């Protein structure tokens, strides 16, 4: 039983389906090619090609004709010039032969007179005739010349060596007498025995051979020349210029083939010429003639330009017409395609769009008024919005489809769009469809015969806008209102209180000790503390009160609608203060902060929001001045404190100016030096530099008054720089006086330590003073180091590398990590005076002091106690192995002169300088 092959049957079945596809593609391409905007440019392109082909063919034919004519003219010119040159050379040769014959007949001296007598002597104005003897001496000449000798000249040596009677043509040279160019033609003279007897010479100007140049025939840049067979031109004329001596590239048979085009050859310059040359028979010379290509082809170039301009103009006209017609055709085709694709695009876009589309047809009344709208078509999204199918909505009036709550407003909008054609948009929150609470956006656009309505769900956008508004008016860390929202609510509270005859309270709160926590435990810990404290304060307030974060560690409480005695809010503020002071566990460590609160009232203390904010701030600073952790109510006298601070700040700036090197008066700042004593040997080993300010009006100003102000304003940097330079200079001055060397300690503030140029400033101070680096000690606080531990350690290591000693001041008052302490490149710990003051009576302070001393010794550091004022304090420190001390027990801070007297004391003094 045979099986039927299936392969051919499948192939046969595929062929009919492939053939129609191929025919369909071909039909589409043919239809596209027949489009006017495609077929017309193709036809124009073919026409342009044919036109330019013909134009270039005609131009090429005319060019070949012009070149051939130039070559013929050059050949004709050469024939003419050759004949002229041949006649001139024949005359010269005849003269030489006559001279030679006359010498043989009449002798060298009688030859010229004999020829003159017969009228055979050439004119001296053009020709110079000379006869020399065998030694080269000129024996006869016309015009007459004396004292010349031809021995050594090229032509004389040629004839003396050559026995043949051949003529010689010299190179063109300048005449010794007239300094004019001259060419020498010569023949050998023999005596009766055939021996060399001299030379007959005819010399003349090379311009003689090119005098036949005709501008009417050769133009301004034609060429005539006479060259030797040695390739050197004897005469060359181009236009009106005659020259000589150039090299000439000779061709076959002593010349360039007639009609050869030359450009850039040394003799021809940059002019393109057609050049021809031909050898002369009687002399070793070549006649050269040439015509300028630019001059000979000028008529051709003009004709070519005319042909090109004509073809270009015709092409431009044709292209312009084709572009206009094609553009018009293309616009028509594009419009047809747009019209065809519009419906397809609308259908695809509307179905894929997340918006609901409603195409409505306008229904007009008998007087032309808009009566209603009928649904023409919708998309799938519209079905979900209305819960109706397209079939259910088709041809239905919208008045029966819309919810009654919005039916009239929607109809009014659509009617207005249908009348004036102006698109309208609106937003509303749905009450029923598609579901309650959804925000919708409606856009109505007029079209021919009706209106298209696009409805979009904008609920997500509205929620985003609400979030943005919340972020713009609330602190992103604590979630509390920010200063912008606070000012807005404060303004509203003032307006309400003014109308109701009530008061408004405003409390400005600043956290005490927050900076220390932030610097020592880091910003994350500080942020956590702010959130906890903010939540605690918020729980103490009434429902209508506002707690806002003003910035940093500052908070503001707005207390509106206060009736009766405003001071009734005192218990509430006290609860806030107590809530802040409760300990907070931050990153496993318990910290405690307090707060200073300044309170002001409307209308008692101010009628505007700015005035209330300013007065609350002033009251808060008064609370800080009174020791912090308290509440102060604004009174007008507080402004005096602010004014005093401003006066003090201005005086501080002036004081800095008085310490400039070029200031003529005394510096208002002064450095005092407090001695530091070794507790084991009682010797003086160093001093600490302490600044004092002598105000011109207020007298001596305590550092407690101006150091904090300088730190806040940034003036501490130039002040600290002055202290550093002055202390280094003074320490070196003591050494130069021969006093025992002691180290000087300088305190560095937070602003100074954060200065990028701190290490550079220290190096400059040491270099300027000449003080060795080991004579300076820099004191920094532990809280300062912990602000940015990594950068602080790097900066300390730079100072250590210079040889500068480092110590930690006020140790025990911060939150420094013991693990970090061991990495500090320091040599000394200083026990803060707050732990020293009650050493005699306080077991707690005694325990802290003993712990610091033990810790320092374990880390191989020296320990110094500051503020030692009693013998009991000194004895305790000495008994517990404290290394050093400073304080009033030994000495107050002293001027530099009194320190010098101390250093100059002998070994028998109670506190003599430590031996080096």
């Amino acid at each position: 039983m045979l099986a039927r092959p299936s392969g051919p049957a499948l192939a046969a079945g595929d062929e009919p389906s492939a053939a129609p596809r191929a025919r369909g593609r071909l039909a589409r391409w043919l239809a596209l090619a027949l489009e006017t905007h495609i077929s017309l440019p193709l036809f124009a392109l073919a026409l342009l090609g044919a036109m330019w082909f013909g134009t270039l063919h005609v131009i090429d034919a005319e060019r070949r004709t012009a070149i051939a004519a130039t070559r013929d003219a050059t050949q004709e010119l050469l024939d003419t010039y050759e004949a002229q040159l041949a006649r001139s050379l024949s005359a010269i040769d005849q003269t030489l032969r006559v001279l030679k014959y006359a010498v043989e007949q009449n002798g060298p001296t009688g030859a010229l007179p004999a020829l003159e007598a017969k009228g055979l002597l050439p004119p001296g104005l053009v020709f110079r005739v000379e006869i020399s003897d065998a030694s080269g001496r000129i024996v006869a000449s016309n015009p007459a010349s004396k004292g010349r000798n031809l021995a050594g000249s090229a032509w004389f040596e040629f004839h003396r060596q050559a026995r043949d009677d051949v003529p010689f043509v010299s190179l063109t040279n300048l005449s010794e007498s007239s300094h004019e160019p001259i060419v020498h033609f010569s023949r050998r003279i023999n005596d009766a025995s055939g021996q060399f007897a001299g030379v007959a010479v005819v010399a003349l100007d090379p311009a003689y051979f090119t005098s036949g140049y005709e501008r009417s025939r050769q133009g301004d840049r034609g060429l005539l020349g006479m060259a030797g067979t040695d390739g050197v031109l004897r005469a060359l004329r181009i236009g009106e210029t005659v020259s000589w001596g150039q090299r000439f590239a000779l061709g076959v048979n002593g010349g360039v083939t007639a009609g050869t085009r030359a450009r850039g050859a040394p003799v021809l310059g940059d002019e393109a010429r057609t050049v021809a040359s031909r050898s002369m028979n009687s002399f070793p010379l070549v006649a050269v003639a040439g015509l300028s290509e630019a001059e000979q082809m000028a008529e051709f170039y003009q004709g070519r330009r005319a042909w090109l301009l004509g073809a270009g103009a015709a092409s431009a006209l044709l292209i312009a017409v084709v572009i206009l017609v094609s553009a018009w055709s293309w616009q028509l085709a594009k419009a047809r395609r747009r019209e065809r694709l519009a419906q397809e695009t609308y259908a695809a876009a509307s179905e894929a769009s997340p918006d609901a589309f409603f195409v409505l047809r306008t229904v007009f009344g008998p007087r032309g008024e808009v009566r209603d709208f009928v649904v023409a078509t919708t998309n799938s999204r519209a079905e979900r919005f209305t819960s109706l199918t397209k079939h259910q909505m088709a041809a239905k009036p919208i008045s029966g489809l819309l919810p009654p709550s919005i039916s009239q407003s929607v109809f009014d909008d659509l009617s207005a769009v249908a009348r004036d054609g102006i698109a309208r948009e609106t937003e509303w929150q749905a009450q029923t469809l598609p579901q309650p609470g959804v925000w919708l956006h409606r856009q109505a656009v007029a079209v021919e015969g009706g209106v298209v309505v696009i409805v979009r769900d904008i609920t997500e956008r509205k929620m985003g806008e609400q979030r943005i508004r919340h972020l713009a008016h609330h602190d992103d860390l604590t979630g509390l209102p920010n200063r912008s929202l606070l000012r807005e609510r404060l303004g509203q509270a003032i307006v309400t209180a003014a109308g109701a005859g009530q008061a408004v309270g405003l409390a400005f709160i600043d956290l005490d000790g927050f900076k220390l926590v932030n610097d020592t435990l880091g910003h994350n810990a500080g942020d956590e503390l702010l959130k906890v404290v903010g939540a605690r304060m918020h729980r103490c307030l009434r429902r209508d009160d506002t707690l806002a974060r003003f910035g940093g560690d500052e908070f503001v409480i707005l207390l509106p609608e206060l009736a009766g005695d405003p001071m009734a809010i005192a218990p509430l503020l006290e609860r806030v203060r107590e809530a802040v002071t409760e300990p907070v566990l931050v990153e496993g460590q318990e910290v405690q902060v307090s707060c200073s609160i300044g309170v002001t009232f409307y209308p008692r203390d101010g009628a505007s929001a700015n005035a209330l904010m300013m007065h609350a701030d002033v009251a808060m600073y008064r609370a800080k001045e009174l020791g912090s952790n308290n509440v102060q109510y604004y009174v007008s006298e507080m402004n005096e404190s602010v004014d005093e601070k401003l006066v003090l700040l201005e005086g501080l700036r002036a004081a800095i100016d008085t310490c400039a090197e070029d200031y003529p008066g005394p510096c208002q700042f002064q450095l005092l030096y407090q001695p530091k004593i070794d507790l084991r040997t009682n010797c003086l080993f160093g001093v600490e530099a302490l600044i004092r300010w002598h105000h011109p009006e207020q007298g001596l100003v305590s550092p407690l008054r101006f150091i904090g102000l300088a730190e806040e304003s940034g003036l501490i940097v130039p002040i600290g720089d002055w202290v550093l330079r002055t202390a280094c200079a003074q320490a070196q001055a003591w050494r130069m006086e021969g006093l025992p060397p002691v180290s000087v300690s300088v305190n560095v503030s937070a602003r100074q330590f954060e200065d990028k140029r701190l290490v550079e400033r220290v190096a400059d101070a040491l270099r300027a003073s000449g003080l060795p680096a080991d004579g300076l000690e820099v004191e920094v606080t532990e809280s300062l180091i912990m602000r940015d531990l990594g950068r602080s350690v790097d900066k300390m290591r730079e100072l250590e590398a210079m040889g500068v000693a480092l110590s930690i001041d006020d140790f025990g008052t911060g939150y420094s990590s013991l693990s970090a302490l061991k990495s500090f490149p320091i040599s000394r710990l200083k026990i803060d005076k707050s732990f020293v003051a009650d050493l005699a009576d306080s077991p707690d302070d005694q325990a802290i002091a003993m712990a610091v001393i033990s810790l320092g010794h374990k880390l191989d550091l020296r320990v110094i106690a500051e503020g030692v004022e009693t013998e009991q304090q000194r004895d305790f420190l000495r008994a517990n192995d404290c290394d050093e001390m400073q304080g009033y027990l030994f000495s107050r801070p002293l001027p530099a002169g009194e320190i010098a007297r101390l250093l100059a004391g002998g070994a028998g003094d109670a506190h003599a300088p430590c031996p080096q």
Side-chain angles (χ1 to χ4, degrees):
M1 188 174 182
L2 298 176
R4 181 184 300 174
S6 59
L10 290 174
D14 289 346
E15 185 177 356
S17 61
R21 285 199 298 270
R23 287 194 296 271
R25 285 196 298 269
L26 180 60
R28 285 195 297 273
W29 280 106
L30 287 175
L32 185 63
L34 291 176
E35 291 279 355
T36 304
H37 62 277
I38 293 179
S39 60
L40 183 61
L42 292 175
F43 173 76
L45 185 62
L47 184 61
L48 284 174
M51 181 177 65
W52 276 99
F53 176 79
T55 300
L56 295 177
H57 179 74
V58 171
I59 290 174
D60 185 63
E62 291 184 355
R63 181 185 64 82
R64 289 195 298 270
T65 301
I67 291 175
T70 301
R71 289 176 177 172
D72 293 342
T74 303
Q75 187 62 46
E76 182 182 349
L77 174 64
L78 179 62
D79 293 342
T80 302
Y81 181 57
E82 180 192 15
Q84 294 174 353
L85 186 59
R87 287 194 297 272
S88 299
L89 293 176
S90 177
I92 293 171
D93 191 40
Q94 184 179 359
T95 300
L96 289 173
R97 291 179 183 277
V98 169
L99 283 173
K100 180 178 179 182
Y101 178 78
V103 170
E104 292 173 351
Q105 296 297 319
N106 302 302
T109 58
L112 294 185
L115 291 175
E116 187 176 10
K118 296 177 181 181
L120 298 176
L121 187 64
L125 187 62
V126 178
F127 296 89
R128 190 174 76 187
V129 179
E130 295 177 331
I131 299 173
S132 75
D133 57 15
S135 64
R137 183 174 60 84
I138 299 296
V139 297
S141 65
N142 181 42
S145 61
K146 298 179 180 181
R148 292 185 68 241
N149 195 311
L150 301 181
S153 63
W155 58 92
F156 182 83
E157 294 299 327
F158 172 79
H159 290 301
R160 187 168 63 177
Q161 300 295 332
R163 292 186 175 277
D164 297 333
D165 184 19
V166 294
F168 183 86
V169 182
S170 72
L171 298 175
T172 303
N173 294 300
L174 294 177
S175 170
E176 296 179 0
S177 58
S178 64
H179 299 290
E180 294 293 331
I182 192 167
V183 182
H184 297 83
F185 294 81
S186 60
R187 277 188 178 274
R188 176 186 172 111
I189 300 175
N190 294 329
D191 57 13
S193 61
Q195 298 297 320
F196 178 69
V199 178
V201 182
V202 174
L204 66 164
D205 192 323
Y208 172 78
F209 299 101
T210 58
S211 58
Y213 188 96
E214 300 178 25
R215 292 185 60 187
S216 61
R217 182 179 180 185
Q218 295 171 249
D220 292 329
R221 298 189 294 278
L223 177 149
L224 284 181
M226 182 181 71
T229 54
D230 56 0
V232 179
L233 282 162
R234 268 58 172 182
L236 174 67
R237 179 169 179 174
I238 298 176
E240 297 299 325
T241 304
V242 179
S243 60
W244 63 90
Q246 299 93 334
R247 298 296 301 179
F248 179 65
L250 296 175
V252 181
N253 299 323
V256 177
T257 303
T260 300
R261 296 175 70 250
R263 179 185 293 274
V267 66
L268 303 177
D270 292 331
E271 183 76 25
R273 295 182 178 85
T274 301
V275 181
S277 63
R278 190 173 297 155
S279 298
M280 307 303 297
N281 294 327
S282 55
F283 282 90
L285 296 172
V286 178
V288 182
L291 294 174
S292 169
E293 181 181 290
E295 293 179 335
Q296 297 300 314
M297 303 284 286
E299 185 176 353
F300 160 72
Y301 292 145
Q302 291 177 355
R304 182 180 67 177
R305 186 179 301 107
W307 276 105
L308 293 175
L309 287 175
S315 300
L317 179 60
L318 178 60
I319 291 172
V321 171
V322 169
I323 289 175
L324 291 175
V325 175
S326 298
W328 173 76
S329 175
W330 179 69
Q331 290 293 341
L332 288 179
K334 189 168 67 171
R336 288 195 297 270
R337 284 196 299 271
R338 282 200 302 265
E339 186 177 353
R340 185 175 63 253
L341 295 176
Q343 294 179 348
E344 300 174 3
T345 303
Y346 165 75
S350 63
E351 290 302 320
S353 173
D355 302 334
F357 284 79
F358 299 87
V359 180
L360 309 178
R361 182 169 52 83
T362 307
V363 178
F364 294 97
R367 290 188 297 273
E369 77 279 7
V370 178
R371 176 173 292 180
D372 206 341
F373 293 91
V374 174
V375 178
T377 184
T378 60
N379 65 350
S380 300
R381 188 70 173 176
E383 293 180 333
R384 289 193 291 272
F385 266 66
T386 60
S387 299
L388 298 173
T389 65
K390 295 180 183 178
H391 178 72
Q392 290 174 324
M393 288 186 286
K396 294 290 182 11
I398 63 166
S399 57
L401 298 176
L402 292 174
S405 59
I406 61 170
S407 176
Q408 188 59 45
S409 62
V410 172
F411 180 79
D412 292 343
D413 271 357
L414 298 183
S415 299
V417 172
R419 284 194 304 270
D420 56 29
I422 300 175
R424 286 172 171 77
E425 299 182 29
T426 187
E427 296 177 358
W428 80 100
Q429 194 169 21
Q431 303 298 322
T432 55
L433 296 176
Q435 60 185 17
V438 173
W439 278 94
L440 299 174
H441 173 272
R442 181 180 69 245
Q443 181 182 28
V445 182
V447 296
E448 185 176 357
V451 176
V452 174
V453 180
I454 304 169
V455 180
R456 178 178 304 165
D457 186 342
I458 59 171
T459 304
E460 186 174 347
R461 192 196 77 191
K462 283 290 187 179
M463 294 177 65
E465 291 175 354
Q466 291 176 1
R467 286 194 297 270
I468 292 173
R469 282 195 296 270
H470 182 272
L471 291 175
H473 292 88
H474 291 78
D475 176 53
D476 58 352
L477 176 65
T478 62
L480 297 173
N482 59 15
R483 66 172 66 193
S484 174
L485 183 56
L486 171 69
R487 288 185 178 278
E488 181 180 327
R489 291 185 179 179
L490 176 58
Q492 294 172 354
I494 291 175
V495 172
T496 302
Q502 296 175 331
V504 176
L506 193 69
F508 205 109
I509 303 173
D510 185 87
L511 301 184
D512 306 322
F514 173 77
K515 187 172 182 296
L516 180 61
V517 175
N518 207 36
D519 291 345
T520 54
L521 299 183
H523 294 290
N524 291 336
D527 291 346
E528 184 64 26
L529 177 63
L530 289 175
K531 288 191 286 186
V532 173
V533 170
R536 288 180 179 177
M537 288 191 290
H538 193 269
R539 288 195 294 268
C540 300
L541 303 182
R542 303 172 303 175
R543 186 185 64 180
D544 295 333
D545 297 339
T546 297
L547 172 65
R549 185 184 176 201
F550 202 69
D553 60 347
E554 296 176 335
F555 296 84
V556 176
I557 297 176
L558 172 62
L559 303 160
E561 300 178 5
L562 299 180
D565 184 8
M567 297 301 293
I569 65 171
L572 182 149
L573 296 177
E574 184 61 25
R575 289 196 302 272
V576 169
R577 188 191 64 77
E578 292 175 353
V580 172
T581 57
E582 294 178 6
V584 180
L585 189 64
V586 177
E587 295 187 354
Q589 185 167 344
E590 189 177 88
V591 297
Q592 187 173 13
V593 295
S594 59
C595 65
S596 299
I597 304 177
V599 186
T600 187
F601 294 101
Y602 167 87
R604 189 191 74 180
D605 302 324
S608 67
N610 288 336
L612 293 176
M613 294 293 295
M614 182 178 66
H615 293 161
D617 187 53
V618 170
M620 183 272 293
Y621 274 105
R622 174 56 60 88
K624 281 190 173 294
E625 292 174 0
L626 296 177
S628 301
N629 195 24
N630 65 88
V631 180
Q632 291 296 315
Y633 295 86
Y634 173 78
V635 292
S636 59
E637 290 79 6
M638 290 182 179
N639 281 331
E640 297 176 3
S641 174
V642 176
D643 295 340
E644 179 187 357
K645 185 179 292 187
L646 293 175
V647 171
L648 201 62
L649 184 60
E650 189 63 29
L652 202 56
R653 291 193 177 94
I656 294 173
D657 294 337
T658 64
C659 296
E661 294 182 359
D662 56 351
Y663 186 74
C667 175
Q668 294 182 18
F669 292 131
Q670 178 191 11
L671 283 188
L672 300 180
Y673 302 89
Q674 187 170 39
K676 297 194 288 188
I677 305 300
D678 189 303
L679 279 171
R680 294 184 179 85
T681 62
N682 287 329
C683 65
L684 189 156
F685 69 90
V687 295
E688 179 180 4
L690 301 171
I691 190 171
R692 296 294 184 266
W693 179 18
H694 294 278
H695 194 282
E697 298 175 358
Q698 301 182 24
L700 186 64
V701 180
S702 169
L704 297 177
R705 289 183 61 195
F706 71 85
I707 290 296
L709 186 60
E711 184 79 24
E712 291 177 13
S713 63
L715 296 178
I716 194 66
V717 175
I719 293 174
D721 194 35
W722 177 85
V723 171
L724 180 64
R725 289 185 286 104
T726 305
C728 289
Q730 183 58 64
Q732 181 62 14
W734 288 330
R735 296 186 182 213
M736 297 300 293
E737 293 173 8
L739 299 174
V742 292
S743 65
V744 59
S745 300
V746 176
N747 290 284
V748 174
S749 70
R751 283 287 186 94
Q752 282 180 277
F753 195 76
E754 291 170 355
D755 185 6
K756 294 180 180 179
R757 296 185 58 229
L758 172 65
V759 177
E760 180 183 345
R761 293 179 188 275
V762 172
D764 289 344
L766 292 173
R767 183 168 49 253
S769 64
L771 180 68
D774 60 3
L776 174 66
E777 181 179 66
V778 173
E779 295 187 6
V780 294
T781 63
E782 57 179 328
S783 58
L784 185 153
I785 298 173
M786 294 303 294
R787 287 187 176 188
D788 189 338
L789 182 60
R791 186 176 299 177
S792 298
V793 171
D794 290 342
K795 194 170 294 186
M796 292 167 71
R797 293 196 186 282
E798 289 186 60
L799 292 171
E800 181 191 34
M802 292 169 50
V804 175
L806 290 148
S807 67
I808 293 185
D809 193 12
D810 300 339
F811 185 74
T813 60
Y815 294 97
S816 60
S817 167
L818 296 181
S819 62
L821 180 63
K822 65 182 181 181
S823 66
F824 297 163
I826 58 175
S827 58
R828 184 174 279 105
L829 291 180
K830 178 178 283 190
I831 303 175
D832 186 67
K833 59 185 177 181
S834 62
F835 302 127
V836 176
D838 297 325
L839 268 182
D841 305 315
S842 173
D844 292 338
D845 289 345
Q846 291 174 1
I848 292 173
M850 292 170 63
V852 173
I853 294 170
S854 176
L855 175 63
H857 290 166
K858 293 292 184 181
L859 295 176
D860 199 22
L861 304 175
R862 294 186 66 81
V863 181
I864 182 172
E866 66 175 346
V868 179
E869 299 180 355
T870 66
E871 293 182 357
Q872 291 87 344
Q873 295 168 349
R874 178 197 60 190
D875 294 341
F876 177 85
L877 293 169
R878 180 180 291 166
N880 287 278
D881 291 331
C882 184
D883 302 297
E884 302 155 356
M885 75 166 191
Q886 68 181 90
Y888 283 14
L889 178 63
F890 172 66
S891 174
R892 293 175 175 272
L894 301 174
E898 295 187 26
I899 294 293
R901 284 193 291 273
L902 278 177
L903 294 176
D909 290 351
H911 296 288
C914 294
Q916 299 298 313

